[in-house]
Amino acid sequence: MNILLTGGAGYIGSHCTLELIKRGHKVTVLDNLERGHQETLDTIKQQGGEFEFLKLDLRNLEELRNGLRDRQFDAVIHFAAYIDVGESVREPAKYFENNVVGSQYLFQILLENKVNNVIFSSSAAVYGTQEIVPIPETAEKHPDSPYGETKLLMEMILENYCQYSGMNAVALRYFNPSGAEGNIGERHYPETHAVPRVLKALMDDKFTFGVFGSDYNTPDGSCIRDFIHIQDLVDAHIACIDFLNNNKGFHAFNVATGKGTSVLELINTAEEVSGRKLNYKIQPRREGDPAQLVADPTKISSEIGWKAKFDIKDILKSAWEFEQKRPMSDYQ
Ligand SMILES: NC(=O)c1ccc[n+]([C@@H]2O[C@H](COP(=O)([O-])OP(=O)(O)OC[C@H]3O[C@@H](n4cnc5c(N)ncnc54)[C@H](O)[C@@H]3O)[C@@H](O)[C@H]2O)c1
């Protein structure tokens, strides 16, 4: 199949790009490289093979229209967005412009070109703090940040395009994507995610991993999250391409394991996997951090047949392996 991936030079998009190429699909990556990496694209070429790269910015409607003119795709996987929750609190306008206006421009051009099948990177952030855990897709949504609001808004816009303009879309609400595959992995700057920060603490004695809160109502007092292996996440996208060929309209699914891991368990497992000790410090709770973010993944398993295969130990093993191949410039 002929597939367009926006944000294919970033963390999740690059893993999906590599896997689709390996499976023999014709792949086009669209990215402005603002937060993705040219060297990741080079690695994908070495490991997987050829694909087309379009250096375009979603916020430039005319550039986008020209770049995508007369191009047909069997499916579009839309990863490109800003992803830092804290930054979105400090600079909400930047997030609404990139994640909402940029996505809207993309969808507008896809509709003009009669490209109808879209998989959208949504997030657990659409749910905000929830009383009932594990969280089903039907839970009331009240995001805790502008980032979460942008994802919810895009789901609503897509749902309307599905209802009125003939689009078919799947919104995948990722919980905590983590881990790596081969020579590509997670490289965000600044890095705010737990797994790469734990690994950084294992690699660097001078870096102390912050545990935000130890007085939550959880068995060990630290927050609980649902970590999902990047390979499982990629498989979910591939399963959705087939699903969209046979199912019309708008669908939203949690992509997660349904099993929670506490931050302290994450530290212990990382120490076990690496055979090293790390420095960590209990710090005050962060505003807006729910005690538990664990998904109910029943819907995607019953409707699509996808289920997570990997656990937290597999995630940390793959991430630890990548951490040691990571360019030292990442630490400077
Ligand atoms: N990583 C996570 O923990 C996580 C969790 C839930 C949801 N998501 C969603 O998954 C998607 C991918 O996340 P990621 O971790 O791979 O992020 P990332 O920052 O690693 O990758 C995003 C990519 O999109 C590109 N991009 C951003 N704005 C663009 C624009 N205007 N035009 C063209 N390219 C643009 C960046 O250059 C980058 O390569 C995002 O939509 C994110 O909201 C991520």
Side-chain angles (χ1 to χ4, degrees):
M1 274 189 277
N2 187 4
I3 298 162
L4 172 69
L5 296 94
T6 73
Y11 170 45
I12 304 170
S14 61
H15 285 84
C16 207
T17 300
L18 179 58
E19 188 59 31
L20 286 168
I21 296 171
K22 281 185 179 167
R23 293 192 191 199
H25 295 287
K26 182 169 183 279
V27 170
T28 304
V29 168
L30 183 162
D31 202 297
N32 62 2
L33 295 183
E34 186 188 332
R35 299 198 175 182
H37 310 278
Q38 178 62 52
E39 58 190 322
T40 302
L41 296 177
D42 298 340
T43 308
I44 295 173
K45 277 206 175 145
Q46 284 157 15
Q47 278 189 236
E50 283 306 311
F51 61 93
E52 187 175 6
F53 175 52
L54 305 174
K55 189 164 186 287
L56 295 171
D57 192 310
L58 294 177
R59 290 161 292 193
N60 187 331
L61 182 62
E62 276 322 301
E63 189 183 287
L64 201 59
R65 183 174 276 124
N66 289 333
L68 294 180
R69 194 178 300 283
D70 300 326
R71 287 174 187 265
Q72 283 299 310
F73 300 100
D74 298 302
V76 176
I77 313 184
H78 177 35
F79 295 103
Y82 288 150
I83 68 155
D84 184 332
V85 172
E87 184 183 49
S88 82
V89 172
R90 293 188 301 275
E91 297 177 83
K94 189 166 154 178
Y95 273 68
F96 286 105
E97 190 199 14
N98 200 30
N99 296 5
V100 180
V101 177
S103 297
Q104 153 58 24
Y105 283 171
L106 172 71
F107 298 148
Q108 187 178 330
I109 305 289
L110 296 182
L111 287 170
E112 284 174 16
N113 291 356
K114 304 208 166 16
V115 172
N116 290 326
N117 289 354
V118 173
I119 297 167
F120 172 63
S121 293
S122 188
S123 168
V126 299
Y127 294 116
T129 305
Q130 295 283 327
E131 292 299 320
I132 296 166
V133 178
I135 305 168
E137 284 82 352
T138 48
E140 205 178 301
K141 284 143 207 91
H142 32 75
D144 290 325
S145 67
Y147 167 73
E149 294 287 3
T150 67
K151 293 290 168 183
L152 192 55
L153 272 169
M154 289 322 302
E155 285 198 15
M156 278 164 48
I157 291 173
L158 270 178
E159 197 166 0
N160 276 274
Y161 287 152
C162 290
Q163 190 170 350
Y164 300 110
S165 308
M167 204 176 244
N168 308 303
V170 171
L172 292 179
R173 297 178 187 148
Y174 316 153
F175 274 62
N176 283 66
S178 326
E181 211 262 301
N183 294 329
I184 50 175
E186 189 165 6
R187 295 172 70 200
H188 295 123
Y189 308 102
E191 188 57 84
T192 57
H193 293 151
V195 168
R197 287 177 69 83
V198 158
L199 297 168
K200 186 170 163 41
L202 286 171
M203 294 288 284
D204 179 356
D205 282 352
K206 290 186 219 69
F207 181 76
T208 301
F209 177 81
V211 176
F212 299 111
S214 60
D215 55 354
Y216 284 97
N217 186 17
T218 57
D220 66 20
S222 66
C223 285
I224 292 179
R225 295 291 178 266
D226 188 334
F227 296 95
I228 170 87
H229 197 302
I230 190 77
Q231 265 180 270
D232 277 329
L233 193 58
V234 166
D235 284 346
H237 288 80
I238 293 173
C240 284
I241 298 174
D242 294 334
F243 175 82
L244 273 180
N245 282 327
N246 303 308
N247 293 272
K248 305 274 166 234
F250 178 80
H251 310 263
F253 297 105
N254 289 337
V255 196
T257 63
K259 291 189 196 77
T261 302
S262 76
V263 177
L264 293 175
E265 282 169 342
L266 183 74
I267 293 174
N268 288 339
T269 316
E271 289 185 335
E272 190 191 319
V273 161
S274 64
R276 294 192 186 186
K277 289 276 168 205
L278 64 83
N279 296 319
Y280 71 88
K281 192 171 172 216
I282 307 290
Q283 293 180 342
R285 290 183 182 199
R286 270 187 318 201
E287 205 186 323
D289 257 351
Q292 293 200 49
L293 257 183
V294 178
D296 177 351
T298 316
K299 188 179 174 207
I300 190 166
S301 134
S302 61
E303 293 189 22
I304 300 195
W306 173 89
K307 223 175 168 177
K309 296 190 194 87
F310 300 105
D311 64 12
I312 190 65
K313 213 166 172 177
D314 302 317
I315 289 174
L316 286 164
K317 269 189 197 153
S318 70
W320 175 240
E321 238 170 68
F322 170 71
E323 199 61 27
Q324 284 153 94
K325 299 179 196 154
R326 195 172 166 145
M328 278 321 281
S329 56
D330 280 13
Y331 289 105
Q332 275 135 34

